[in-house]
Amino acid sequence: MSKAASGAMTTKAKAMFAKRLSESDYINLANKKSVSEIATYLKNETYYAQCLDGVNEKALHRGQLEALIRNDYIAKVAKILRYSASNREGFEKVIVTQSEVNTLIAITQAIVAGDFGSVVTKLPTTIESEICFDLKELANVRSFDELVEALVKTPYHDILANYASGDIRDMDFVGLEQDLYRYYHEETLKALKESIDTKSQKTIRDLLYSQIELDNIAKIYRLKKYFNTPKEKIGPMLSPVYLRFSKKDIEDMIERMDAEHIYERLINSSYKAYVKEERFLFIEHTTKMINYNLNHRQIMFANDPDTVLLAYMRLVENEIDNIVDIIEGVRYRVSSEEIRRMLIY
Amino acid sequence: MSIQKMKFVKTSTSRENLDEMLLRALDSKLLDPISADDMLRQDEEGRTISEDNVYSDYINNFKNMAHGIGLEIGRKKTSENAYSLEEIEAFSKELANKLELSSCGEDVVLTSDDQKALDALSECGFEALHDCRYINFGLGRLPLESYKKVELLRDRKFDLCILHSNAQYHWVVYATSNTFFAEVRKLLLSLYLEEIRIPNIDVKKVKADCEEKLEDIYAFCLKNDNIYRLYDYCIQKGDEYLIGGFVPEAKVSEYEKVFNGLDVKFEVDEPEEAGVKCPTLLKNNWFFKPFEMFVEMYSLPDYKDFDPTIFLGITYCLIFGIMFGDLGQGAVLAIGGFVLYDVLHYKNKLIGIVGRVGVFSMIFGFLYGSVFGNEEVLTPVHQALFGTEGKLVEVMDAEWTTRLLIGAVLIGMVLTLISMLINMYKNIRRKDLGQLLFSTNGVAGFIFYSYVVAVILNMLVLNNSLGNIMSLPFILPLVVVPFICFFFEEPLGHLLSGKNLKPEEGWGAFIMQQIFEMIVVALEYVANTLSYLRIGGFILSHAGLMLVVTVLMGMVGGAGSIIVMIFGNILVMGLEGLIVGIQSLRLEYYEMFSRYYDGGGRKYEVLTSLE
């Protein structure tokens, strides 16, 4: 890609990041009393105005608001990709795979809960032409076996088929979820490796590995603290990715440390520089904060378009998570201070 | 040709005639009222009227209800009947019941899109839909994405029909049997269907039934709301209610006649009696009237000051004409402007200005011998009229370039001197001796600048025929003394007005500040004068642009040359006309107004209906 085109994409991504929700936006949103007030604020005061244009915010459903904001994420990335002079299919593939994996997890959850009616609501119709499975088939499945059958010509068939036998109530849902995420991570690395230059690969690999590694640590913490999961069962649940922690460190955590020690080990590790707030809320808050700061650093200082784009994608995802947290908080009447504490920005 | 004289007029009456008096004052469109608070500053015995305005709530209520049924109200200006508050309340409740709204009920917000969907559904008849025993109907907004998902379903237990769509939603009605209604509704709600209740009544029928009465009551409420708002300008003094304001002196008797037949006391005073700033209403003849727009854009003159419109009008026309001299193009502007503004009475004053500057453009175009860019067509006329060999002014001749630029600077000098004279006249009227004598635009400034003009004229035009005027006997009184005046303007002004000689900031700071001030003053004189060079520059650029058009015409030839001429002239008129207009205004505001004009006046704004 020419320097000019690469600069254009980097500049566009950074310029779009500059429009993000500010601290005062978050304060105002957390002070709202209803979903419709949140929607009105987002529509009138923020850069979500375009994606919410024409919606009746007074009657807007929470789920619909979330759906619109998530769709806007895809539009934002597409907008930046327009500035790319070279082929960037890899990034599109990452978004599509992420959406496919999330859809399959949501549909499986609905089937496990026996709520077949809601299967159709989980389908990603906005990117219907890009995804690898037939939505019409998926919309009408009424069992897990039918789901596996509907995925027969897709790479997901083999993953799901491993869990198809036996009673649905005994299905290892955590294992399935784990396998799907592992597939997503592998596909992401593969897709980006194919389409980006080697210079950027290391930084991008570090960003992706950090996220996986942090997810692993959060999982170990949670399994130890809340589920008393036997040590030998924890290892297989993790993605075999090691970046700032060696394989031995992770095994040490599983074998010898309790949850509190794991947290201490995390915040004193080489991730320390990215822990901006030492107050502990819950483990995912800390890992997401580290992840946010890692990506934030990249978008501020990196000039390589692929790194900046990936960082931008992760930061927008974080913003969407923040908005969803606010919506949930407002719905369940959590105080605005509590809501703000949960947000990462 | 001046600022209209005003009178401060007070009218008072009893409580029973108050509303009528206020409405007549409102209808007269002559009164620029002063607020009750300002009146009370003058009259300590009075008090404001504090009555709750119940009509504004009814107005909002009726507006909301009308909006809900897609009715536009407010077309009727006066009501045919009078209504008591009880009657208005009863009608409001009756209408709310008909529309199934209640003040304590759910907040029904129907958009115009909802209304379109309901209109489409009403073809089936709402009552008929409700009368079905075995089939249930539902109505709502379904996001477009959700509709796509519904279409993916096989063996649907419902039928769905789109009534209306926009960029985000389909408005759909669905029908299903009673057995599946709960299940279907749950599914559609999970797809974010925003339900709209199918009304029991036909909105169109309600609309037809109540429209006339609603309009009448709305107009009645509007009138009363206006009266209540006018109470902000009234004070109560004993049993009397009083409203005061400014009326042009020439219109006072007309204003008095407005209250004929009503028991109203009428009192006329000088504007100073009001205790508030008197508004300014400019009065100019038909030619200069449009130029009031430029004065208003800058700032209206204070009531006691003078109106600069005529000087602005003359100088603006002159500068524009000089810069944009073309007989043909000027004629187009003049005809267009006069026809649209003076004949067809288009209200935009800018069009009037275009017509007037067009005349001056024609005059100078004639002197330059330029008609639609053709520089030769008027040569015989010039030869016959002025006895010249060629044209009177050869704009594109190299010899003339220097003459034009020097001429532009001389025009600037003359305009600057006139601006100073106007400033002196203004300060005489204000009796501000300090400003009159010592300021950079007062007598001292005038002497200094006149001397500079004389020196330049002597050097460039008169070939030193005035002798050596740059010697000390001239420099000392005509340069040094004025600069001493500029330097000590503030303390000398204090001295003349009998105040303490010492500057407010102390001598040290004052001298320091004035040293820099003097550098600025000297630079300003130079910069302001050279600013007029643009007049010469635009004469050349206009001629240059038209030369390009003429060359292009020659290159194209035949019928094409006529098209090039037409479009070339349109382009130059549009583009250069706009730039010249802006540059002329810039000279008015920055080089002339800054020397003699302060503004700061308040616009005369008559009381009008507040809705």
Side-chain angles (χ1 to χ4, degrees), chain A residues 38-54:
Chain A
I38 292 172
T40 307
Y41 185 86
L42 288 171
K43 187 176 168 181
N44 296 328
E45 309 290 337
T46 71
Y47 74 138
Y48 286 98
Q50 205 178 348
C51 83
L52 297 174
D53 184 34

Side-chain angles (χ1 to χ4, degrees), chain B residues 21 27 45 185 200 251 288 342 384 386 393 401 530:
Chain B
M21 178 184 81
D27 291 340
E45 289 172 29
R185 183 166 175 264
N200 291 322
K251 305 263 184 181
F288 292 107
D342 294 278
F386 307 115
V393 181
T401 307
L530 291 181

Side-chain angles (χ1 to χ4, degrees), chain B residues 6 103 118 128 160 224 232 336 338 400 411 433 474 507 512:
Chain B
M6 290 281 168
S103 55
L118 281 171
L160 196 75
N224 284 286
D232 290 345
F338 280 115
W400 272 89
I411 290 170
L433 273 179
F474 286 99
W507 284 108
M512 203 62 195

Side-chain angles (χ1 to χ4, degrees), chain B residues 44-60:
Chain B
E44 288 176 358
E45 289 172 29
R47 61 186 174 88
T48 52
I49 303 173
S50 54
E51 287 184 22
D52 288 338
N53 182 359
V54 287
Y55 294 100
S56 65
D57 288 343
Y58 282 122
I59 286 171
N60 289 332

Side-chain angles (χ1 to χ4, degrees), chain A residues 53 56 123 125 137 140, chain B residues 141 145 149 152 154 168:
Chain A
D53 184 34
N56 182 354
L123 301 176
T125 42
E137 288 300 319
N140 295 288
Chain B
R141 291 177 283 261
E145 282 306 314
K149 290 175 186 175
L152 294 171
R154 284 184 222 120
Q168 293 279 357

Side-chain angles (χ1 to χ4, degrees), chain B residues 472-515:
Chain B
L472 199 60
F474 286 99
I475 291 174
L476 205 61
L478 301 178
V479 176
V480 178
V481 173
F483 261 83
I484 292 171
C485 291
F486 302 157
F487 198 95
F488 293 105
E489 181 191 334
E490 189 188 336
L492 288 172
H494 285 183
L495 194 69
L496 286 178
S497 56
K499 291 182 198 164
N500 189 355
L501 190 71
K502 192 180 170 189
E504 280 172 18
E505 62 273 41
W507 284 108
F510 170 77
I511 289 169
M512 203 62 195
Q513 185 186 315
Q514 286 305 95
I515 289 170

Side-chain angles (χ1 to χ4, degrees), chain A residues 1-27:
Chain A
M1 182 164 59
S2 71
K3 271 191 174 176
S6 119
M9 200 170 114
T10 310
T11 310
K12 182 67 186 169
K14 290 187 179 193
M16 283 177 67
F17 178 64
K19 290 182 187 169
R20 68 192 182 277
L21 297 186
S22 65
E23 186 177 4
S24 69
D25 285 327
Y26 283 125
I27 293 170

Side-chain angles (χ1 to χ4, degrees), chain B residues 81-341:
Chain B
N81 304 300
Y83 300 91
S84 66
L85 282 176
E86 289 73 24
E87 283 174 314
I88 297 170
E89 177 65 23
F91 177 74
S92 172
K93 276 187 180 161
E94 184 195 333
L95 192 58
N97 284 335
K98 274 187 184 169
L99 299 173
E100 296 166 332
L101 305 167
S102 69
S103 55
C104 56
E106 60 179 303
D107 186 15
V108 180
V109 185
L110 287 179
T111 63
S112 58
D113 283 313
D114 297 339
Q115 199 55 54
K116 281 177 191 161
L118 281 171
D119 283 348
L121 189 63
S122 69
E123 302 289 325
C124 307
F126 299 139
E127 284 103 347
L129 295 178
H130 285 290
D131 286 345
C132 290
R133 285 179 66 191
Y134 304 108
I135 298 176
N136 252 307
F137 294 90
L139 171 70
R141 291 177 283 261
L142 190 66
L144 301 185
E145 282 306 314
S146 299
Y147 185 78
K148 277 192 207 166
K149 290 175 186 175
V150 171
E151 282 192 312
L152 294 171
L153 291 170
R154 284 184 222 120
D155 310 324
R156 277 183 273 172
K157 292 167 181 164
F158 59 97
D159 207 0
L160 196 75
C161 174
I162 298 173
L163 298 168
H164 172 62
S165 304
N166 72 4
Q168 293 279 357
Y169 299 99
H170 287 310
W171 275 256
V172 294
V173 59
Y174 62 93
T176 184
S177 71
N178 293 348
T179 321
F180 298 123
F181 182 70
E183 188 188 333
V184 169
R185 183 166 175 264
K186 187 184 164 199
L187 171 71
L188 291 172
L189 287 178
S190 69
L191 286 166
Y192 315 127
L193 176 83
E194 294 161 15
E195 287 186 307
I196 300 170
R197 210 168 62 76
I198 299 174
N200 291 322
I201 45 105
D202 188 344
V203 173
K204 274 185 183 166
K205 194 168 170 291
V206 176
K207 225 155 109 173
D209 289 348
C210 71
E211 184 172 0
E212 202 176 317
K213 193 169 181 186
L214 179 61
E215 275 281 7
D216 202 51
I217 291 187
Y218 183 76
F220 178 79
C221 290
L222 216 55
K223 184 185 90 174
N224 284 286
D225 182 55
N226 266 325
I227 292 172
Y228 271 92
R229 286 167 195 264
L230 291 174
Y231 287 169
D232 290 345
Y233 299 103
C234 285
I235 59 166
Q236 184 184 354
K237 208 172 152 188
D239 293 336
E240 281 199 326
Y241 292 80
L242 195 143
I243 184 168
F246 299 97
V247 176
E249 192 178 31
K251 305 263 184 181
V252 170
S253 56
E254 189 186 324
Y255 182 61
E256 193 173 2
K257 276 181 200 156
V258 165
F259 302 99
N260 277 354
L262 198 67
D263 185 17
V264 169
K265 274 189 212 159
F266 203 76
E267 207 178 310
V268 182
D269 281 321
E270 288 307 313
E272 293 76 24
E273 301 296 319
V276 292
K277 196 175 215 176
C278 181
T280 307
L281 178 62
L282 302 179
K283 183 184 174 187
N284 286 289
N285 64 26
W286 69 274
F287 188 86
F288 292 107
K289 191 90 188 152
F291 292 97
E292 288 176 358
M293 186 186 95
F294 285 156
V295 177
E296 281 174 27
M297 269 166 60
Y298 189 90
S299 172
L300 274 171
D302 190 78
Y303 176 69
K304 287 181 180 169
D305 260 341
F306 71 101
D307 175 11
T309 309
I310 293 178
F311 182 64
L312 179 138
I314 294 169
T315 49
Y316 188 85
C317 287
L318 267 175
I319 294 171
F320 187 96
I322 295 171
M323 290 202 271
F324 194 80
D326 189 296
L327 184 63
Q329 291 176 357
V332 172
L333 294 184
I335 293 167
F338 280 115
V339 168
L340 287 174
Y341 185 77

